[in-house]
Amino acid sequence: MSIIDTTTSAVPPVAPPAEAEPGGGGRHELWPAARAVLEANWSGRHTVPSRTLYPHQWSWDAAFIAIGLARLAPDRAWQDLRSLFLAQWPDGRVPHIVFDPGIAERDYFPGPGFWQVPLRRPGHPDGTGIVQPPAHALAVWELYQRAPDAVGLAQLRWFYPRLVAAQDYLLGRRDAGGGGLAAIVHPWESGLDNSPAWDTALAAVPADLTVLAGRQRHDNRVAAVAHRPTDEDYARFVALALAYRDHDYADDALADRHGFVVECPTFNALLGAAERALAAIAGVVGADPARHLARAGHITRAIDDRLWNPRTGMYHARDVRTGRLSPARCVNGLVPLILPDLPADRVAALVAVLGSDRFGMSAAMPVPSYDRTATDFDPVRYWRGPVWININWLLWRGLRAHGCATEADRLRAAMIDLVGRSGYYEYFHPVTGAGVGAAAFSWTAALLLDLLADGD
Ligand code: 9WN
């Protein structure tokens, strides 16, 4: 199967988002503001996560944004996702950022000059050489289900081989542990960048601040220093990216030579969910769903065999280099709930942890990113405590998939209430609910649209 189809223009020009149909979520007061966020963040080719902090296109953001745009402007949703896949590498990897050539290097660090990715496909946009969680097949299937017409079918046909290539890359070259899961080679690949889930694995990476010399962080100029990763974290992030880059983004012998090789429960849960979505897509485009269903089953079993901790009753990140599970109880260990074939006892255990003091899912507040009772729980620092809407949206879907309707409804109401009180922020203080990070953040707006529309 070849993914070297350089078609870029099969999609008609895209109309701006319209009003929702009467009777849809559009009646809700939050709807127009969400639409305005997505409109303001549309670059003409894709939606940026935030005009100030993230002025390019991000990979898993694009999936969540498309799920929300599907409720407003399906053409734009398809175009947004296609623009990401135009930067797909010939080996199947989908870059974690696709760079907008109109944005100056100084407006995001690390930009294209840092990554120095060889121009892989002439005429196509440049991206990084690392990936993010594979949420795209899920988004493509959601989009098609919202409008299962001829346009949707043409889109499914365009995406199917590309999504398969992305999965083949992750399940092939990234199975560094040999156990049937994909390993990430950088915390940025997790999407939960400085989660405590990476602390033990990262401790082996020297925090050499000299790698930041001559390099200027952009995030700390537009966001509060106390909310962002520390310079020590950034030194490790930069060193790992340089090490991977300097091996020409190769994936051979990762566990022997690379400083960070980790199996993340959320990344792999999305990998499994992607195979399920691909099975559904295969059924429509005339391909074989069986292969995808078999892979989905293997992934669920591998997550359970390799990442389950019976003592904590949840999943944990596994350091492939040492074989050890991270001791931290992080929200990424609860997201496997999205897998419909998760064993019933595991579901019950995860729901119990979600309802416990550690994660305190309640009508008042969605789920934080880290154990509230941990001594290093930090309510404002990036992924070390705050509430994120994309993770809560996944948990909501997971609860529904397992028939936990009461908990799912409560979580949906808590998300809507939180955003209603505080606005479309990147993340939220898990005690006060105050907005933190970038305002006018795209996936918060997009997923709110999906939550609102779902309730009507
Ligand atoms: C690095 C864009 C991205 C999200 C990630 C989030 C953050 C970037 C950064 O922003 O990461 O990729 O600069 O901190 O952690 O989940 O995709 O919204």
Side-chain angles (χ1 to χ4, degrees):
M1 175 220 55
S2 166
I3 60 160
I4 316 299
D5 163 8
T6 53
T7 312
T8 58
S9 58
V11 185
V14 173
E19 292 292 333
E21 292 298 316
R27 284 176 306 176
H28 197 285
E29 61 198 14
L30 282 172
W31 189 274
R35 192 179 62 231
V37 168
L38 293 174
E39 186 60 25
N41 289 346
W42 173 246
S43 77
R45 277 184 304 273
H46 60 256
T47 308
V48 298
S50 147
R51 287 275 174 197
T52 53
L53 204 47
Y54 311 114
H56 300 286
Q57 183 178 37
W58 261 258
S59 171
W60 80 329
D61 297 60
F64 294 123
I65 290 165
I67 288 168
L69 276 179
R71 302 292 195 166
L72 272 186
D75 288 351
R76 184 173 284 189
W78 286 119
Q79 183 181 343
D80 206 315
L81 268 183
R82 280 176 81 128
S83 127
L84 180 79
F85 274 77
L86 291 178
Q88 185 172 28
W89 288 31
D91 68 6
R93 82 184 77 187
V94 177
H96 103 290
I97 304 174
V98 177
F99 294 113
D100 180 340
I103 297 291
E105 187 79 26
R106 68 172 179 280
D107 287 340
Y108 183 76
F109 174 79
F114 172 92
W115 293 95
Q116 295 175 20
V117 169
L119 189 59
R120 302 281 164 166
R121 296 169 66 188
H124 284 237
D126 241 354
T128 63
I130 61 171
V131 299
Q132 263 191 334
H136 315 97
L138 203 67
V140 165
W141 182 237
E142 289 273 327
L143 278 178
Y144 178 73
Q145 284 175 292
R146 301 267 163 262
D149 53 17
V151 172
L153 181 58
Q155 298 285 9
L156 283 195
R157 291 193 194 288
W158 192 90
F159 275 104
Y160 179 72
R162 289 164 174 81
L163 291 166
V164 171
Q167 294 288 109
D168 287 348
Y169 169 74
L170 295 172
L171 283 163
R173 295 188 190 211
R174 285 302 190 85
D175 184 6
L181 296 182
I184 54 172
V185 299
H186 197 292
W188 284 332
E189 293 202 309
S190 70
L192 292 80
D193 303 1
N194 69 330
S195 165
W198 324 128
D199 286 357
T200 44
L202 272 183
V205 179
D208 175 7
L209 293 176
T210 62
V211 299
L212 297 181
R215 300 189 158 106
Q216 174 87 59
R217 283 180 69 173
H218 169 258
D219 59 323
N220 278 347
R221 284 190 276 148
V222 292
V225 170
H227 300 171
R228 295 287 305 176
T230 62
D231 273 352
E232 282 72 23
D233 291 330
Y234 251 73
R236 292 188 167 102
F237 292 167
V238 168
L240 284 172
L242 288 174
Y244 192 50
R245 181 193 83 178
D246 293 345
H247 273 91
D248 201 20
Y249 300 108
D251 294 312
D252 54 290
L254 279 172
D256 300 327
R257 66 169 168 79
H258 191 65
F260 182 90
V261 187
V262 173
E263 292 167 354
C264 167
T266 293
F267 192 107
N268 282 288
L270 284 165
L271 191 70
E275 289 297 342
R276 262 174 209 283
L278 280 171
I281 295 169
V284 178
V285 301
D288 176 18
R291 170 182 176 230
H292 299 299
L293 287 175
R295 275 177 158 194
H298 287 140
I299 293 168
T300 301
R301 281 192 292 282
I303 290 174
D304 206 47
D305 288 348
R306 293 171 73 79
L307 309 183
W308 180 254
N309 181 341
R311 204 175 49 77
T312 61
M314 60 184 289
Y315 296 96
H316 292 253
R318 179 191 182 94
D319 184 340
V320 173
R321 287 155 47 92
T322 62
R324 290 203 200 100
L325 292 183
S326 155
R329 291 171 162 99
C330 300
V331 78
N332 69 338
L334 301 172
V335 172
L337 209 51
I338 61 172
L339 298 168
D341 56 343
L342 207 62
D345 57 334
R346 302 302 200 226
V347 172
L350 296 181
V351 174
V353 174
L354 272 171
S356 74
D357 288 350
R358 298 184 189 281
F359 286 91
M361 177 176 65
S362 69
M365 191 63 72
V367 179
S369 43
Y370 185 35
D371 176 357
R372 287 178 187 275
T373 68
T375 52
D376 54 347
F377 176 79
D378 185 334
V380 289
R381 201 179 293 276
Y382 219 53
W383 296 110
R384 302 185 78 88
V387 168
W388 293 74
I389 293 298
N390 66 330
I391 293 291
N392 276 277
W393 184 89
L394 289 169
L395 292 171
W396 169 65
R397 283 296 182 98
L399 287 167
R400 287 211 318 194
H402 292 288
C404 304
T406 308
E407 290 86 347
D409 289 349
R410 220 189 297 140
L411 186 54
R412 173 178 173 273
M415 284 189 271
I416 294 172
D417 179 64
L418 178 63
V419 176
R421 279 189 288 136
S422 301
Y424 289 105
Y425 273 85
E426 183 181 6
Y427 47 102
F428 301 87
H429 191 294
V431 179
T432 67
V436 198
F441 191 68
S442 291
W443 81 37
T444 305
L447 295 177
L448 245 286
L449 290 176
D450 188 63
L451 291 168
L452 293 173
D454 189 86
D456 282 339

